Amino acid sequence: DAGVIQSPRHEVTEMGQEVTLRCKPISGHNSLFWYRQTMMRGLELLIYFNNNVPIDDSGMPEDRFSAKMPNASFSTLKIQPSEPRDSAVYFCASSLRGGGARGAFFGQGTRLTVV
Amino acid sequence: GDSVTQMEGPVTLSEEAFLTINCTYTATGYPSLFWYVQYPGEGLQLLLKATKADDKGSNKGFEATYRKETTSFHLEKGSVQVSDSAVYFCALGFHSGGSNYKLTFGKGTLLTVNP
């Protein structure tokens, strides 16, 4: 199994630009999570999908952030417009039934730098 | 709400020393408990898990026992190696239905093992 695949691995963009992060979950998993990791705030859950439907988006910091999951094998996290404080590592994770019993499997992450 | 508290880092040890990283949790109901490890530049990897009280999870020489009476899941290893240097995250999750289908992470503990 290829695991959770994220792209790009690194992204450098200018303030005000739109950024799209991509994630392909493990085949057969029906839950998908987007996390953000920074030194100051640690690991934060941004949004969580179950069967392609957003279940909990209370962690999305503001309206500039949006996430979609058009099908079971693909999700995007978009930031528009981007700001320097959005610089972080963004992780996608997938699991069966939310990972509550079995845990979740993480991708390698996308390191975003907004200058 | 549900939460996980783990000991503040960083933790610095010499090779072959004994390791303990404390983790306690607060949750309604009976969660599953996990330890994840994050090596530099990588995503989180599931290290071990326990799904009910008194269960012991183990992997790669690491162990943790689910203690319901003390709401704890401390990570231990008898003899650490330089290659164990990483950030360790304690997490809880629910295997019941409804909106509790997600993982809650602690802030992470940085472990550095010196030769």
Side-chain angles (χ1 to χ4, degrees):
Chain A
D1 195 317
V4 176
I5 299 173
Q6 292 186 245
S7 64
R9 289 294 309 276
H10 302 274
E11 177 80 36
V12 180
T13 190
E14 291 186 347
M15 182 174 62
Q17 296 298 305
E18 177 180 295
V19 176
T20 299
L21 311 181
R22 297 173 176 80
C23 175
K24 176 179 170 56
I26 292 173
S27 177
H29 283 187
N30 62 347
S31 294
L32 184 140
F33 309 82
W34 282 102
Y35 287 89
R36 178 172 68 176
Q37 187 178 37
T38 61
M39 289 293 292
M40 291 295 294
R41 302 171 71 93
L43 195 64
E44 303 173 275
L45 176 64
L46 301 178
I47 187 169
Y48 155 52
F49 294 86
N50 196 36
N51 294 324
N52 312 337
V53 176
I55 302 298
D56 182 355
D57 65 355
S58 59
M60 296 286 263
E62 45 195 281
D63 291 345
R64 298 184 297 105
F65 286 69
S66 62
K68 294 182 179 179
M69 192 165 187
N71 57 62
S73 59
F74 184 66
S75 177
T76 60
L77 177 67
K78 184 178 294 185
I79 307 172
Q80 166 63 19
S82 58
E83 297 182 3
R85 60 193 168 118
D86 302 331
S87 297
V89 181
Y90 291 81
F91 288 105
C92 176
S94 73
S95 72
L96 289 170
R97 296 184 66 205
R102 299 172 181 83
F105 295 83
F106 282 72
Q108 297 276 64
T110 295
R111 181 174 295 278
L112 173 65
T113 303
V114 183
V115 297
Chain B
D2 305 329
S3 66
V4 174
T5 302
Q6 55 183 111
M7 65 186 288
E8 295 277 336
V11 174
T12 302
L13 296 174
S14 298
E15 206 164 23
E16 300 184 2
F18 185 85
L19 168 71
T20 299
I21 300 178
N22 290 337
C23 171
T24 57
Y25 67 90
T26 301
T28 53
Y30 303 98
S32 293
L33 300 174
F34 306 88
W35 277 100
Y36 281 79
V37 58
Q38 184 180 28
Y39 298 103
E42 298 186 10
L44 279 71
Q45 302 174 26
L46 180 62
L47 179 60
L48 54 84
K49 67 178 181 181
T51 57
K52 62 183 186 296
D54 300 326
D55 271 2
K56 178 185 284 187
S58 61
N59 186 25
K60 299 181 180 180
F62 291 90
E63 293 183 339
T65 301
Y66 189 139
R67 301 288 188 197
K68 182 182 171 185
E69 62 277 11
T70 54
T71 62
S72 65
F73 193 55
H74 304 322
L75 182 68
E76 297 182 336
K77 186 174 185 182
S79 177
V80 294
Q81 305 300 312
V82 172
S83 57
D84 294 326
S85 298
V87 180
Y88 292 82
F89 292 88
C90 186
L92 66 82
F94 283 90
H95 48 77
S96 58
S99 62
N100 286 334
Y101 269 11
K102 64 181 182 181
L103 292 169
T104 299
F105 284 88
K107 293 188 181 298
T109 302
L110 173 63
L111 169 66
T112 300
V113 181
N114 295 318

